[in-house]
Amino acid sequence: MPPIGPMPPIGPTPRANTSCSSQASLSADAESQDAPAPCEVPHSRYHEVAMGQGQAEVAVNLLRECARNGEWLCLKNVHLAVSWLPSLEKEVYTLQKHEGFRLFLTSETHAKFPKTLLELSLK
C-alpha cells in the first residue's frame, strides 16, 4: 500500500518539484543543479485540496484520479473534516493504486482523528 502520511502543521508541506531525497540517497550528479532530485514530482502530477465545508466530494474524486494515474495528492487541514476521515480510510482501502501514487495528509492534533488511519501511515 502506498504511503499515507499525516504530517504536523509545522515544517514543509509536500509541493510540486519537491525532492523526496530522504527516501533515496542522492548521487553527486543528482545534487547538481542540472539534474532533477530523486522522486521529484512535476506540477502536473501534484494536487492539493484544502479541506473544509463541501470539499469531501472534490477530495474523493481527486483521490480516485490520482490513485489511478500515479499522481500525488495532499489533503490539507483534514482536522476540519474529522467526521469524514473514516470514509477516506475506506476509500483508500478499496482503491486500485498505481505504484507512483502518494497521499499526504496535513492535520492539527485532534482527539477524534482515527487511530487506524494513523497506523496505516508512514511516519
Side-chain angles (χ1 to χ4, degrees):
M1 174 172 271
I4 303 170
M7 299 181 316
I10 300 170
T13 299
R15 298 182 294 237
N17 294 330
T18 298
S19 167
C20 58
S21 59
S22 62
Q23 296 176 6
S25 61
L26 296 174
S27 69
D29 291 338
E31 290 175 340
S32 75
Q33 291 184 351
D34 296 333
C39 304
E40 190 170 291
V41 62
H43 287 282
S44 63
R45 295 191 59 225
Y46 175 80
H47 309 275
E48 294 179 348
V49 176
M51 298 305 295
Q53 188 173 3
Q55 294 302 305
E57 186 175 336
V58 171
V60 168
N61 290 334
L62 197 50
L63 173 70
R64 290 174 182 158
E65 182 181 328
C66 289
R68 181 177 53 252
N69 298 328
E71 298 173 348
W72 290 16
L73 175 61
C74 180
L75 300 179
K76 295 181 168 188
N77 302 320
V78 295
H79 60 280
L80 299 176
V82 73
S83 63
W84 170 75
L85 291 178
S87 297
L88 172 65
E89 183 179 1
K90 288 177 188 174
E91 188 70 34
V92 169
Y93 272 119
T94 61
L95 286 172
Q96 293 291 334
K97 298 168 211 64
H98 183 282
E99 70 177 28
F101 170 64
R102 297 293 181 269
L103 175 61
F104 299 90
L105 307 174
T106 67
S107 180
E108 291 182 7
T109 303
H110 195 289
K112 293 186 179 181
F113 198 98
K115 289 181 183 179
T116 54
L117 195 55
L118 290 174
E119 291 167 354
L120 277 174
S121 305
L122 293 178
K123 293 148 190 91

